[in-house]
Amino acid sequence: MKVNVSDIQEEGLLLEADLPIIINSGTKPDIAHVIIKIFRFEKQVLVEGSVKVSTLLKCSRCLKETLQPLDLDFREEYVPAEEGDREVEKELTNRELDIGFYSNDELDINEIVKEQVLLSVPMKPLCSNECQGLCSVCGKDLNEGACNCRKEEMDPRLAPLAQFRETLKNRKE
Ligand SMILES: [Zn+2]
Ligand SMILES: [Zn+2]
């Protein structure tokens, strides 16, 4: 979906749409429900949006793919890329807002939404906060039950106790 910047009227532009967004390259696009408000001040454009999309992500503990809902709000300013509006750019970089660029008088809404969605994808997705992950020895998914691997590492604080037990045992023999 594309918007011509010069078509944006003084009162702004409100868009609501379902847009196909490719979040994981190589998979089919996810449909993002998008509500966007666009305001224009001469050539500077302010985009406020909220996006809801669900996408398949691999759990960082058990490696199973699960559908993760992403729900985000963003606010970003855009300036023309090709006109060398360095003054505007300089002025904008001093502010807290993020700045993007558009060219040919055209805002590519799909690209803008995709950029924002990618920023909000978690670095370490989890299928659930309680995910038990995989056994480090046999690789079994511990969410499906415990495995038979014994935990070899002993808590170092318990080592003196184990030693004491050993001494007692030797005395008895
Ligand atoms: Zn998991
Ligand atoms: Zn195991």
Side-chain angles (χ1 to χ4, degrees), residues 15 48 74 84 166-167:
L15 300 170
E48 289 178 345
F74 69 92
E166 203 62 27
T167 324

Short mmCIF file of all heavy atoms in Angstrom, two decimals, residues 15 48 74 84 166-167:
data_model
loop_
_atom_site.label_atom_id
_atom_site.label_comp_id
_atom_site.label_asym_id
_atom_site.label_seq_id
_atom_site.Cartn_x
_atom_site.Cartn_y
_atom_site.Cartn_z
N LEU A 15 -5.83 5.49 8.05
CA LEU A 15 -5.91 4.26 7.26
C LEU A 15 -6.10 3.08 8.18
O LEU A 15 -5.50 3.01 9.25
CB LEU A 15 -4.61 4.03 6.49
CG LEU A 15 -4.14 5.07 5.50
CD1 LEU A 15 -2.72 4.74 5.06
CD2 LEU A 15 -5.08 5.08 4.30
N GLU A 48 1.76 7.73 12.89
CA GLU A 48 1.45 7.06 14.15
C GLU A 48 0.68 5.81 13.82
O GLU A 48 -0.31 5.88 13.08
CB GLU A 48 0.57 7.95 15.04
CG GLU A 48 1.28 9.14 15.60
CD GLU A 48 0.34 10.01 16.44
OE1 GLU A 48 -0.89 9.83 16.34
OE2 GLU A 48 0.85 10.85 17.17
N PHE A 74 3.66 2.61 17.28
CA PHE A 74 4.87 3.36 16.93
C PHE A 74 4.51 4.76 16.48
O PHE A 74 3.37 5.09 16.19
CB PHE A 74 5.67 2.62 15.85
CG PHE A 74 5.01 2.60 14.49
CD1 PHE A 74 5.30 3.58 13.55
CD2 PHE A 74 4.10 1.60 14.16
CE1 PHE A 74 4.69 3.57 12.31
CE2 PHE A 74 3.49 1.59 12.91
CZ PHE A 74 3.78 2.57 11.98
N GLY A 84 18.03 16.22 -0.21
CA GLY A 84 19.12 16.80 0.56
C GLY A 84 18.63 17.81 1.57
O GLY A 84 19.20 18.87 1.73
N GLU A 166 30.43 -39.95 53.20
CA GLU A 166 31.41 -40.92 52.71
C GLU A 166 32.27 -41.42 53.88
O GLU A 166 32.51 -42.61 54.02
CB GLU A 166 32.27 -40.24 51.63
CG GLU A 166 32.93 -41.17 50.66
CD GLU A 166 31.95 -42.00 49.84
OE1 GLU A 166 30.78 -41.56 49.62
OE2 GLU A 166 32.35 -43.08 49.43
N THR A 167 32.70 -40.47 54.74
CA THR A 167 33.53 -40.81 55.90
C THR A 167 32.77 -41.75 56.84
O THR A 167 33.31 -42.75 57.32
CB THR A 167 33.90 -39.54 56.69
OG1 THR A 167 34.10 -38.49 55.77
CG2 THR A 167 35.14 -39.74 57.53
#
